[in-house]
Amino acid sequence: MNKEELLDHHDYFISWLKELNHIEEDKWYAPMEEGKWSIGANVSHIMKWDRYSVEHILLPDLQDGAVLPPFPEFEEFNRKAAAYAQGERTQGHLLAESVEARRSIRAYIDSLTEEELDLSFEVGDHLYTLREFFEDFMGHDKHHQNQIEEALYKEKA
């Protein structure tokens, strides 16, 4: 995937996040399925991973061959992200935070050359190039976007 395709994905995802402002509050906080997260918790989860990436991985001084600390323990990180959505943040505030975090990632990508996307680094025992890292997170985006859209579709059916 080239730089323009990565930028297009992030532009699209930012627009999609903004569209979620129209979801009614009761649907925002309700589990999407029994025993599953709410739409708000899913958005919080995405935003928290975006922030983590910006603060701990997508560093301005990231060098080829860098060895970064491992990812946080997923279960605990995700539990805290879901709980964050249930805190004192409004739906609008959480979406604004999510858009801002995603804009930071988009700006980072925009600052790179096509060649810099092939910079390699390690996060714990995971080896990535920046291109692979962004592609993995695009898959993560699509997974949660599909979950949210399926839940909204079921509501309309």
Side-chain angles (χ1 to χ4, degrees):
M1 185 162 287
N2 67 35
K3 178 179 171 176
E4 284 306 312
E5 291 169 317
L6 292 171
L7 291 171
D8 287 348
H9 168 78
H10 287 79
D11 288 338
Y12 166 77
F13 202 75
I14 289 167
S15 295
W16 180 77
L17 284 168
K18 289 178 181 179
E19 290 175 17
L20 298 180
N21 266 313
H22 303 295
I23 297 172
E24 296 168 14
E25 191 170 314
D26 62 325
K27 291 178 188 168
W28 180 259
Y29 292 106
M32 292 189 297
E33 290 182 32
E34 189 172 328
K36 299 288 185 181
W37 285 350
S38 66
I39 292 171
N42 265 278
V43 170
S44 181
H45 166 80
I46 293 165
M47 182 269 297
K48 288 292 191 176
W49 278 111
D50 282 357
R51 281 188 175 170
Y52 180 87
S53 296
V54 169
E55 293 169 5
H56 300 282
I57 296 172
L58 306 177
L59 306 170
D61 60 347
L62 184 64
Q63 299 293 313
D64 195 45
V67 179
L68 305 175
F71 290 111
E73 197 280 313
F74 292 119
E75 294 279 331
E76 180 67 10
F77 186 93
N78 293 339
R79 186 191 63 72
K80 287 179 181 178
Y84 186 81
Q86 305 298 349
E88 297 180 23
R89 281 137 206 96
T90 64
Q91 176 180 345
H93 184 140
L94 185 59
L95 284 167
E97 286 182 285
S98 298
V99 166
E100 184 57 36
R102 187 49 62 113
R103 282 183 176 147
S104 295
I105 292 174
R106 192 212 181 276
Y108 184 87
I109 294 168
D110 198 35
S111 75
L112 300 171
T113 64
E114 194 70 41
E115 294 74 31
E116 287 171 324
L117 285 168
D118 294 320
L119 178 142
S120 64
F121 60 97
E122 291 180 50
V123 179
D125 61 352
H126 300 278
L127 180 62
Y128 296 99
T129 64
L130 279 171
R131 189 181 317 273
E132 292 166 341
F133 181 79
F134 292 127
E135 289 171 352
D136 278 1
F137 269 79
M138 285 173 60
H140 182 251
D141 289 346
K142 290 175 185 177
H143 168 72
H144 288 292
Q145 182 180 8
N146 288 339
Q147 287 179 320
I148 291 168
E149 288 179 355
E150 283 177 25
L152 292 174
Y153 177 75
K154 285 179 188 175
E155 287 291 324
K156 291 180 183 177

